[in-house]
Amino acid sequence: MKRLGYFFILLLCTLLFTSCGEDGEQGKNNYQIYYIDSDGAGLVSEEYQAKASRQDTVNIIRELFDQMKTGGKDGIYQIPVSPEVEISNFQIKENQLSVYFSAGYNAKTGIEEILSRAAIVKTLCQVEGIEHVEFYIEDQPLMIAGNAVGMMNADSFTTSLSETREAQSRQVALYFADASGKQLIEVSSDVTYDATEPLAKLLLEELIAGPDTMNLDTSVIHPSIPSGTKINSITIRDNICYVDLSNEFNEMLAEVSSDVTIYSIVNTLCELSNVNRVQFTIAGELQEQYGETKEFHTAFERNLNLIKGGN
């Protein structure tokens, strides 16, 4: 009888440990599915346990898309993937996911489109190995206000927008010229935005506006970009930020070196988690040289040596 008792105790312990192990594995396969709230003012999420193996990336993505079409457990939320929008294909390349939508996607505009896009990206970026998502409409990159949206990640969007569309705040680093014009000075700044404009474009606009608009000490911190420069387009793809500027950018500041002007932009944009290089064009054309800086047609990486007090 004693041996029988020990056997049942051992069996019970084995079942308990097995059960705990299964729960732990199941927990690893949980995802937050993002929807638009019933008021259309922000995002909400519900936990979902996927049926496919976490390593089965293709079927996990299909499951998550299917869940986004449900409106949540009670069906009370607005769905980010409309029934009339077909997902014709998706492709995975390294850590990037390209999703191909039918033309029906273009029916959504403004805040509704931004929230739909945010819900999709934030859901899909939870998939193991997926760090960035890019949208295509038919075979063309998604365009907003004439600019290709490019690669997005969960940080590309605010978590929600209030009913009054209150702007969100984020601390960023901007790089301006020092008094000598030969080095960069890092300036921390709180920028406000409502997700209707790419953050990369907003940062570049802050640089162009210059330190005067930020109430900084202009005897120490100087503008780094020629006045009147306009942003023709800005797109992020494969961790490269493609910046097309107007011809005014070539009207260089006499007191600022060309390297400082270039790297004020590069270092600022490379602060973004989805940017590690910047490629310039002027009026849509590659340019071999900018001032004394040669090979201006190549993509630039961050340069810490130009930062005052940096290494």
Side-chain angles (χ1 to χ4, degrees):
M1 288 293 293
K2 249 180 204 182
R3 287 186 180 178
L4 192 58
Y6 286 139
F7 173 77
F8 280 116
I9 290 170
L10 182 61
L11 180 61
L12 179 61
C13 289
T14 303
L15 289 172
L16 285 171
F17 280 114
T18 303
S19 175
C20 289
E22 286 176 352
D23 286 345
E25 288 302 311
Q26 287 174 349
K28 291 180 182 177
N29 214 25
N30 288 353
Y31 299 86
Q32 293 295 320
I33 307 296
Y34 286 86
Y35 305 96
I36 304 169
D37 66 22
S38 54
D39 295 326
L43 299 183
V44 292
S45 67
E46 286 186 355
E47 190 169 78
Y48 169 73
Q49 188 174 82
K51 298 176 179 63
S53 164
R54 194 170 185 87
Q55 284 71 42
D56 188 355
T57 305
V58 170
N59 281 323
I60 287 288
I61 291 170
R62 286 174 178 158
E63 270 194 67
L64 297 185
F65 269 125
D66 287 342
Q67 282 302 120
M68 280 187 276
K69 295 177 181 178
T70 65
K73 294 173 185 175
D74 298 323
I76 60 174
Y77 302 125
Q78 297 183 37
I79 59 177
V81 184
S82 304
E84 64 272 12
V85 177
E86 179 187 350
I87 300 167
S88 57
N89 190 19
F90 59 83
Q91 297 176 355
I92 302 167
K93 180 183 177 183
E94 296 179 350
N95 62 353
Q96 300 170 355
L97 171 66
S98 298
V99 183
Y100 293 79
F101 296 93
S102 64
Y105 181 93
N106 288 325
K108 287 188 177 183
T109 58
I111 294 297
E112 182 187 13
E113 186 279 328
I114 292 166
L115 288 174
S116 295
R117 182 156 36 98
I120 295 169
V121 172
K122 288 170 78 69
T123 298
L124 296 177
C125 278
Q126 297 170 78
V127 177
E128 191 169 310
I130 301 299
E131 295 180 11
H132 300 94
V133 180
E134 185 174 27
F135 285 15
Y136 284 83
I137 311 304
E138 302 295 349
D139 291 325
Q140 299 300 315
L142 173 64
M143 306 289 289
I144 302 293
N147 295 319
V149 173
M151 288 290 174
M152 301 164 281
N153 61 16
D155 295 332
S156 301
F157 306 92
T158 56
T159 301
S160 63
L161 297 173
S162 71
E163 291 183 11
T164 57
R165 309 296 190 243
E166 291 177 358
Q168 306 295 311
S169 180
R170 174 171 172 171
Q171 190 171 70
V172 297
L174 303 172
Y175 292 88
F176 293 102
D178 73 347
S180 72
K182 296 179 180 179
Q183 287 189 290
L184 294 167
I185 294 180
E186 179 181 342
V187 175
S188 293
S189 175
D190 289 322
V191 296
T192 55
Y193 62 107
D194 63 4
T196 60
E197 181 178 39
L199 186 55
K201 184 179 180 184
L202 179 61
L203 296 185
L204 189 46
E205 286 173 343
E206 291 281 316
L207 283 179
I208 292 171
D212 285 349
T213 61
M214 300 174 63
N215 296 319
L216 298 173
D217 185 353
T218 53
S219 66
V220 177
I221 302 170
H222 288 216
S224 56
I225 300 178
S227 175
T229 297
K230 298 177 182 62
I231 305 168
N232 293 330
S233 67
I234 186 163
T235 304
I236 299 172
R237 181 179 174 82
D238 297 337
N239 298 116
I240 302 174
C241 187
Y242 295 89
V243 177
D244 185 47
L245 300 173
S246 65
N247 285 314
E248 286 82 358
F249 185 69
N250 279 326
E251 298 173 8
M252 298 177 58
L253 298 170
E255 68 279 12
V256 177
S257 76
S258 55
D259 274 355
V260 164
T261 294
I262 290 167
Y263 284 104
S264 70
I265 297 173
V266 173
N267 286 8
T268 296
L269 294 179
C270 283
E271 293 285 338
L272 299 175
S273 62
N274 58 339
V275 176
N276 54 36
R277 287 186 293 167
V278 177
Q279 172 78 67
F280 293 94
T281 52
I282 308 299
E285 300 291 334
L286 290 170
Q287 189 168 297
E288 290 292 325
Q289 187 166 335
Y290 182 74
E292 296 180 355
T293 305
K294 297 179 180 179
E295 297 186 352
F296 183 60
H297 62 287
T298 62
F300 289 84
E301 295 181 347
R302 187 197 313 254
N303 184 341
L304 300 180
N305 294 325
L306 282 174
I307 302 172
K308 202 163 190 174
N311 295 316

